[in-house]
Amino acid sequence: MQAIIVSCCGCFHGRTLAVISMSCDNEATRGFGPLLPGHVKVDFGDDVALEKIFKEHGHRIAGFLFEPIQGEAGVITPPEGYLKAVRDLCSKYNILMIADEIQSGLARTGKMLACDWEEVRPDVVILGKALGGGVIPVSAVLADKDVMLCIRPGEHGSTFGGNPLASAVAIASLDVIQEEKLAERSAHLGQELLHQLLKIQEQFPNYIKEVRGRGLFTAVEFNSRTLFPVSAYDICLKMKERGVLAKPTHDTIVRLTPPLCVSSDELQEGSKVLRDVLELDLPNLQKTKPKDSPTTATICDRCGRNLYDSSDKDL
């Protein structure tokens, strides 16, 4: 009997074949294959749909893999109570709750883990990125022995897994996060950043559809109609020219994830750069960029839906 992994629409868990096979990102799936079977999709934040899948396939489902906050999708936060509902459902149907906290974990959202916002303990936690403190690549999978010891000696290996230098850096990184109270710092400064971004939205309501985030994990979503023919990538390039690095996603979303050691003054400087780009650079970009510039299709090859439609239906 083939085991099934359930994952969310709009998820991003990496670029290796298994997780590409569960991706809703056409850029990750087109041109690759054959994709692996055994994946079932569910809408992120919909615990009712999740239970329906658990009821239909529960005897075959090995785990539910999800991001507590979807990063690549544009810093999408779930409805309040969703994480607790997932925990209850996974316990009820004896399915592993696997939280991918590679982007959201280790103080990024204002808590040590994003799951801590609802005081939820997953069965498996995946960590990376911040675990290396910006010094060395390292990642980790955390679980209790009842899960870990299902893999016996010789059944799994990794070329660089558990090397002493990376492990020492990871331990030091965790010490710094705790000793310097970076989770609390992220929560406090994150409120400042969101306030600044909301002020910018008030100034440019026709351009900015939504500002969202938690801690120093934030995103600005633009209206594709009023932004056209400019993309989020163009906005990020102009921000770079003014001294601030940001990451575009899905043509209309700019993610702002400053380092946890950022100062209030630096946050204000970064916000000013975004404001200046919208006020000074954007009008010229819209005049000079060819109007027939191709845009990336957002219709998912897997489910056929427009996952990242940022147009304002009310305009």
Side-chain angles (χ1 to χ4, degrees):
M1 183 182 296
Q2 184 186 62
I4 293 173
I5 297 292
V6 179
S7 59
C8 294
C9 291
C11 72
F12 178 82
H13 300 291
R15 294 183 174 86
T16 50
L17 187 58
V19 292
I20 285 176
S21 298
M22 65 180 70
S23 175
C24 286
D25 187 344
N26 293 337
E27 292 183 7
T29 56
R30 286 178 181 170
F32 292 89
L35 300 178
L36 299 182
H39 299 293
V40 174
K41 307 301 294 184
V42 66
D43 285 336
F44 180 63
D46 190 343
D47 57 289
V48 175
L50 183 63
E51 182 165 24
K52 184 173 184 283
I53 288 174
F54 282 4
K55 285 180 178 178
E56 292 175 356
H57 305 285
H59 62 292
R60 295 178 56 195
I61 298 174
F64 173 48
L65 175 62
F66 72 104
E67 302 160 88
I69 296 176
Q70 289 191 322
E72 291 291 326
V75 190
I76 307 298
T77 57
E80 186 176 351
Y82 175 70
L83 300 180
K84 285 186 177 179
V86 169
R87 176 65 279 173
D88 292 342
L89 288 173
C90 287
S91 298
K92 178 180 178 180
Y93 291 93
N94 193 31
I95 291 169
L96 288 176
M97 178 183 181
I98 308 171
D100 181 344
E101 294 252 20
I102 290 175
Q103 291 194 35
S104 62
L106 301 182
R108 170 54 57 188
T109 69
K111 297 282 188 181
M112 194 65 168
L113 298 176
C115 285
D116 292 341
W117 281 101
E118 294 192 21
E119 299 180 348
V120 163
R121 189 176 191 272
D123 299 302
V124 181
V125 174
I126 307 170
L127 295 174
K129 297 188 185 300
L131 188 61
V135 176
I136 196 169
V138 59
S139 57
V141 176
L142 312 179
D144 290 334
K145 64 180 181 180
D146 291 343
V147 175
M148 285 296 195
L149 295 183
C150 290
I151 302 175
R152 291 171 293 186
E155 290 183 341
H156 179 66
S158 174
T159 303
F160 294 107
N163 75 81
L165 176 59
S167 298
V169 169
I171 292 171
S173 177
L174 293 171
D175 287 342
V176 168
I177 291 171
Q178 290 183 316
E179 292 170 5
E180 299 188 12
K181 301 184 183 303
L182 294 186
E184 294 87 341
R185 181 182 180 83
S186 176
H188 173 70
L189 292 176
Q191 287 298 314
E192 288 189 21
L193 179 57
L194 278 176
H195 178 72
Q196 294 167 18
L197 295 176
L198 288 170
K199 285 288 188 182
I200 297 174
Q201 183 182 23
E202 290 177 5
Q203 186 177 350
F204 302 98
N206 291 334
Y207 289 133
I208 298 179
K209 178 184 178 183
E210 185 180 13
V211 170
R212 55 180 177 261
R214 183 164 281 171
L216 289 173
F217 197 25
T218 61
V220 175
E221 182 169 357
F222 293 91
N223 185 312
S224 60
R225 294 184 188 177
T226 56
L227 195 67
F228 181 82
V230 177
S231 69
Y233 180 72
D234 298 321
I235 298 293
C236 288
L237 287 180
K238 287 300 180 182
M239 291 181 68
K240 179 178 73 72
E241 291 176 8
R242 292 179 178 272
V244 172
L245 295 179
K247 187 180 187 303
T249 185
H250 302 299
D251 284 340
T252 57
I253 302 170
V254 172
R255 288 192 290 161
L256 300 166
T257 56
L260 304 183
C261 60
V262 70
S263 68
S264 293
D265 289 343
E266 288 168 333
L267 284 181
Q268 291 176 4
E269 182 181 348
S271 296
K272 183 180 183 302
V273 163
L274 176 59
R275 183 182 292 107
D276 288 345
V277 167
L278 296 181
E279 182 176 357
L280 304 176
D281 298 328
L282 180 55
N284 186 55
L285 278 173
Q286 290 179 316
K287 291 178 182 178
T288 58
K289 188 173 181 181
K291 294 293 191 284
D292 59 349
S293 298
T295 57
T296 304
T298 56
I299 303 300
C300 177
D301 289 348
R302 175 185 292 278
C303 63
R305 288 178 298 171
N306 191 343
L307 296 173
Y308 310 107
D309 181 11
S310 67
S311 61
D312 191 340
K313 303 290 192 300
D314 297 329
L315 286 180

